[in-house]
Amino acid sequence: MRRMLNAWGHDIHFQVRQGFYLAYLLITVMYCLLLSLVPSGARADVSVLVVFSDPSALGFFFIGGIVLLEKGQNIYDNLFVTPLQVGEYMAAKTLSLAMLSTLSAAAVHLSAFGWEGFSLLFLAGILLTSAFFTLIGLGLAVRCGTLNGFFLASPLYSIIYYVPVLGYLGVYESPLYYLLPTQGTLLLLASPFHPLTIWEVLYGLAVLVVGIGLAYLWAKRSFINHIVLKIGGRGQ
């Protein structure tokens, strides 16, 4: 746990030094201004879509950039000959970006609606969604040699998870959406405006937790195969 916390603190310091927090402050202000221009009748739905896209994009694309930057700097050559384990490294990266996502999305919601409907369910939706997309992005990034390659491959790994938005907007309904973690995301993020039943709460949390578990196993296997074993590190 101590190693993971130290790695988490290092990641936050790295993100601040690289300007991630400044960039996301500007993005958050832009989102707040955008919502202030939306008519009040449509503001809730637009807010859900904005907050939905925020942690998914942040987690997926930022982790891709971080991993490829670290690969380019040969950081991994020495990282895993230390006591730090792959799971601890992944947890630190995931938590640091999830925290940034949660802060940003919370600020967007508070700017538009104040404390109305602000709840732990809403925050859980942001945190879990960011963790899920971060792990998917990490698993893809270690398989790519360049940032361009990552961006070209990213739609193949991410676009399916945006399909439930069609159901949220009423464009096309399908029970198959409930197989995707992001259907749970939309339920939790809309909870400030559409109270959920107990079944919906349990489903929304469970499908995201299961999705995170599967994404973690895939990302860890990808990291071990494409990074650790190639440098002769420990496959833990």
Side-chain angles (χ1 to χ4, degrees), residues 88-126:
E88 294 167 339
Y89 168 88
M90 292 171 56
K93 284 283 188 289
T94 301
L95 289 175
S96 65
L97 289 175
M99 184 183 75
L100 182 53
S101 284
T102 303
L103 290 172
S104 174
V108 170
H109 180 89
L110 290 172
S111 73
F113 305 101
W115 292 98
E116 178 187 352
F118 195 76
S119 67
L120 290 178
L121 277 181
F122 176 76
L123 293 177
I126 302 165

Side-chain angles (χ1 to χ4, degrees), residues 28-216:
T28 301
V29 170
M30 182 187 70
Y31 283 150
C32 293
L33 292 175
L34 172 66
L35 282 179
S36 70
L37 300 175
V38 175
S40 58
R43 190 171 297 164
D45 287 338
V46 174
S47 173
V48 170
L49 296 178
V50 166
V51 173
F52 172 74
S53 66
D54 184 79
S56 59
L58 171 67
F60 189 88
F61 290 107
F62 273 35
I63 191 63
I66 290 171
V67 168
L68 288 165
L69 177 62
E70 290 180 342
K71 285 174 67 175
Q73 294 176 343
N74 298 317
I75 288 176
Y76 300 133
D77 290 352
N78 300 313
L79 183 61
F80 294 110
V81 298
T82 72
L84 184 69
Q85 298 181 6
V86 173
E88 294 167 339
Y89 168 88
M90 292 171 56
K93 284 283 188 289
T94 301
L95 289 175
S96 65
L97 289 175
M99 184 183 75
L100 182 53
S101 284
T102 303
L103 290 172
S104 174
V108 170
H109 180 89
L110 290 172
S111 73
F113 305 101
W115 292 98
E116 178 187 352
F118 195 76
S119 67
L120 290 178
L121 277 181
F122 176 76
L123 293 177
I126 302 165
L127 190 70
L128 294 175
T129 300
S130 178
F132 173 75
F133 276 99
T134 298
L135 290 168
I136 295 295
L138 190 152
L140 172 59
V142 297
R143 295 165 176 264
C144 297
T146 65
L147 193 58
N148 286 337
F150 175 80
F151 284 130
L152 287 173
S154 61
L156 300 177
Y157 287 78
S158 63
I159 196 168
I160 184 65
Y161 299 112
Y162 292 92
V163 173
V165 171
L166 298 177
Y168 181 80
L169 295 175
V171 175
Y172 181 76
E173 299 287 346
S174 173
L176 295 178
Y177 296 154
Y178 284 85
L179 298 176
L180 298 172
T182 43
Q183 177 67 17
T185 298
L186 290 169
L187 285 173
L188 296 177
L189 296 185
S191 62
F193 317 107
H194 308 289
L196 303 181
T197 64
I198 294 297
W199 180 89
E200 288 174 325
V201 171
L202 293 177
Y203 160 77
L205 295 173
V207 73
L208 278 165
V209 169
V210 171
I212 288 170
L214 294 175
Y216 172 83

